[in-house]
Amino acid sequence: IRAAGLGRSGKDAEALYFFFYYPIGVERHRGMAPWATWGLMVLMTAIFIFFRFNPQAALASWEWWIYFPQQPWRPGLVFSILNHAGWGHLIGNLVYLWCFGPSLERVLGFRRFLLLFVFLGVIANFAQGFVSEYLLTRYAGLGVVGASGALSGLMGLFLLRFPAARIRTAWVIFSPLHGLARSGVIGIPSLLAVGAWVLLQMVHAGASALGGVDGTAYGAHFGGLALGILIGLAYRFPREGRIYLRRERVRSRLSKGDFYGAYELVQPLLVRDDPEDLSIAARVSSL
C-alpha cells in the first residue's frame, strides 16, 4: 500500500505500508472435542518433521507422498494430502484446519469428517491434474503435496453450514521507514472472509497464467471449493445454515437483554424438537 502526501518539510513524500492478515479461528460455541481435527494436525506435523530430518526417506518413497497427475493411481493420490513442502506451507494449512475443522467435525461426526477430508483432497488432486494438463500446462510434470485442496472443500462446507459465523482474523500494518506499526484481531463474517479468499485466488491464478509458475496448485483450490459446496448442498447445509443463523440472532438478542425479541425469534425453532433449540427456548422463557 502506497500513500502519498506532504512530509514534515512541506515537500511531497511517499510512505510504503505493508499489510498482512490471517485467520486464527472461528467465534464458536463449545462442543465436543475435535479429535479428528487434532489427529490430522498432529499427523501432518509428524510426517513433515520426519521427512525434514530424513530427506532420503522422502526420495525413496516419493510415489507414496507426492501426487503426480501423469501417474494418478499411485498411493500419492491419497497420502500426498498429509505431506507439505515447507514450514510456511504446513503452518498455513494447520491454521486453516484449526479454523474450519472443529465446527464441521461437530456437525458431521468424527468418521464422516475424516472421510470427507480425504475425499475432498483426492478430488482436488484430480482437479489439479486436469488444470495442469489442459489449462496451465506449465504446471505439467510438477508434483502436488499438501492439504490445501481438502481445506478449500472444508471452506465451501463451512460457508453453507455456518453463514453467520465470524472468522477471527489477525491483521498487522506497518511502515518500517516511518516506524509505524498497528495490529489487532477482528471478526469477519464467513461470507466476506471466504469471498475475499476466492477473489485473491482468482487474482493470483490469473497472474500465474500470464507469468511463471509460483508453485501454488490453484486447480486443487478451486476444485476442492466447488466440491465442498456441492456436498454441502447435498447435505442440505443451506437449510441448517438458516437455522444456525436464527440461533445466533436469538443469542444476540439475549446478550442485549431483548428477551421479548428473543422469544419471538425462537418460536420457529421449537417445531424441530432439537435439544439445542429446546435448551435455548427454555433459557429465553425463564428470562
Side-chain angles (χ1 to χ4, degrees), residues 5 28 137 155 158 202 255 269 274 280 286:
R28 64 170 67 90
T137 55
M155 290 172 62
F158 188 94
M202 294 175 65
S255 65
L269 298 178
D274 183 276
I280 296 174
S286 65

Side-chain angles (χ1 to χ4, degrees), residues 21-273:
Y21 70 95
Y22 219 84
I24 58 174
V26 174
E27 296 176 355
R28 64 170 67 90
H29 304 287
R30 292 186 177 183
M32 67 177 189
W35 294 109
T37 301
W38 291 344
L40 286 171
M41 294 175 69
V42 170
L43 185 59
M44 289 191 293
T45 303
I47 290 173
F48 176 79
I49 292 177
F50 175 79
F51 286 142
R52 195 73 173 180
F53 291 99
N54 298 275
Q56 296 301 323
L59 293 175
S61 57
W62 63 267
E63 63 181 6
W64 280 83
W65 301 104
I66 303 176
Y67 170 68
F68 285 96
Q70 292 76 16
Q71 300 172 323
W73 301 112
R74 295 181 180 271
L77 175 64
V78 176
F79 293 103
S80 64
I81 303 170
L82 303 174
N83 192 16
H84 291 81
W87 282 109
H89 191 202
L90 172 68
I91 294 174
N93 280 349
L94 290 179
V95 170
Y96 271 80
L97 180 56
W98 173 245
C99 183
F100 297 102
S103 298
L104 288 171
E105 183 180 347
R106 181 170 63 87
V107 299
L108 291 170
F110 179 92
R111 295 180 181 178
R112 189 180 299 175
F113 176 80
L114 282 179
L115 288 175
L116 273 179
F117 183 85
V118 174
F119 180 67
L120 288 166
V122 168
I123 301 302
N125 278 343
F126 279 132
Q128 176 60 26
F130 176 83
V131 168
S132 63
E133 183 69 22
Y134 298 103
L135 299 178
L136 299 178
T137 55
R138 61 172 60 91
Y139 283 80
L142 297 181
V144 180
V145 296
S148 301
L151 293 172
S152 300
L154 294 185
M155 290 172 62
L157 288 168
F158 188 94
L159 182 62
L160 296 182
R161 183 59 179 80
F162 300 101
R166 302 183 70 85
I167 311 299
R168 298 182 67 248
T169 304
W171 60 269
V172 59
I173 183 171
F174 65 93
S175 178
L177 298 180
H178 293 261
L180 173 67
R182 296 287 187 275
S183 63
V185 176
I186 186 174
I188 301 177
S190 60
L191 180 61
L192 179 60
V194 176
W197 178 85
V198 172
L199 181 61
L200 285 174
Q201 293 296 303
M202 294 175 65
V203 171
H204 293 163
S208 179
L210 297 175
V213 177
D214 66 1
T216 302
Y218 295 108
H221 291 186
F222 290 121
L225 179 68
L227 180 61
I229 292 175
L230 290 175
I231 293 176
L233 292 174
Y235 274 116
R236 301 178 66 186
F237 271 10
R239 176 178 177 273
E240 295 297 323
R242 289 190 294 270
I243 294 171
Y244 172 81
L245 180 59
R246 181 172 286 272
R247 287 174 182 165
E248 293 303 300
R249 288 175 176 172
V250 172
R251 291 190 175 103
S252 177
R253 293 290 181 90
L254 288 176
S255 65
K256 297 176 181 178
D258 182 7
F259 306 133
Y260 289 105
Y263 183 80
E264 293 177 359
L265 285 173
V266 83
Q267 298 304 312
L269 298 178
L270 299 181
V271 299
R272 287 166 33 88
D273 199 28

